[in-house]
Amino acid sequence: LYLLDKTNNQVWKHNATTSGFGNGTGWLKEDVNLRNAVGLSIDGSVWIAFTDGIRQYVNGAESLWRMQSIDPADFRLRELVIPATGSSLFVLDEMGKRVIEMVKDTGKILAQYPLPAEQIRDFAVDPTKKEILLLTNSQLLRLTYEKK
């Protein structure tokens, strides 16, 4: 179990025990300002979404991975999802009112999906069904997408 601690600028790793989880140990090995962090996803690497971009961390250190330019360039990320299968990552852009799909290995933008509603609270992705599930204050919406 990994927890994002914005107050202490740390990602805490809690190992499973027979009765739950142990005390957390600091996972990041370098100073990182997590004040603008908005999401965390893990696929072997630790991915942290910030309002202004995404960073990948491997063994506690930032990797050289970079997100390619987004067009339009005005964006404010709010959440990050990396499905267990597939080669994509998805981010919720609150300002651009869209979900952006990127190639996980390269950061290349594959597609941008306009949001069908305002005030998306959270989202999930099912790559098997090619669906993006969007949670609003009052409903759960389903958006289908084409596999790239």
Side-chain angles (χ1 to χ4, degrees):
L1 175 69
Y2 291 80
L3 297 175
L4 178 67
D5 181 352
K6 293 168 38 167
T7 302
N8 294 304
N9 292 313
Q10 186 56 267
V11 171
W12 300 99
K13 180 180 179 184
H14 297 264
N15 291 317
T17 67
T18 55
S19 61
F21 292 94
N23 292 332
T25 57
W27 185 82
L28 290 172
K29 296 177 181 167
E30 52 191 36
D31 290 334
V32 179
N33 183 346
L34 297 176
R35 184 173 46 108
N36 293 322
V38 293
L40 173 79
S41 194
I42 298 168
D43 69 348
S45 297
V46 171
W47 299 79
I48 301 176
F50 295 83
T51 54
D52 62 351
I54 303 166
R55 296 186 201 146
Q56 178 191 39
Y57 295 86
V58 178
N59 296 321
E62 186 173 358
S63 76
L64 297 177
W65 186 92
R66 292 292 176 257
M67 174 175 93
Q68 290 187 357
S69 296
I70 297 175
D71 184 31
D74 291 335
F75 65 91
R76 183 175 52 245
L77 302 183
R78 209 181 96 217
E79 186 60 65
L80 165 71
V81 171
I82 299 179
T85 60
S87 59
S88 294
L89 65 83
F90 297 80
V91 288
L92 178 63
D93 173 15
E94 186 173 49
M95 183 181 290
K97 298 181 180 11
R98 59 192 166 172
V99 171
I100 303 167
E101 180 183 8
M102 297 178 199
V103 177
K104 192 169 39 170
D105 291 341
T106 65
K108 177 183 176 188
I109 307 296
L110 284 178
Q112 300 181 49
Y113 308 105
L115 296 176
E118 298 282 330
Q119 301 298 322
I120 301 297
R121 296 178 55 113
D122 204 356
F123 81 113
V125 177
D126 184 340
T128 306
K129 294 181 180 178
K130 298 183 229 168
E131 292 180 340
I132 299 171
L133 302 171
L134 304 161
L135 179 64
T136 71
N137 286 334
S138 61
Q139 42 185 329
L140 180 64
L141 304 172
R142 185 178 322 202
L143 181 73
T144 58
Y145 68 93
E146 292 299 317
K147 187 173 182 179
K148 304 292 179 198

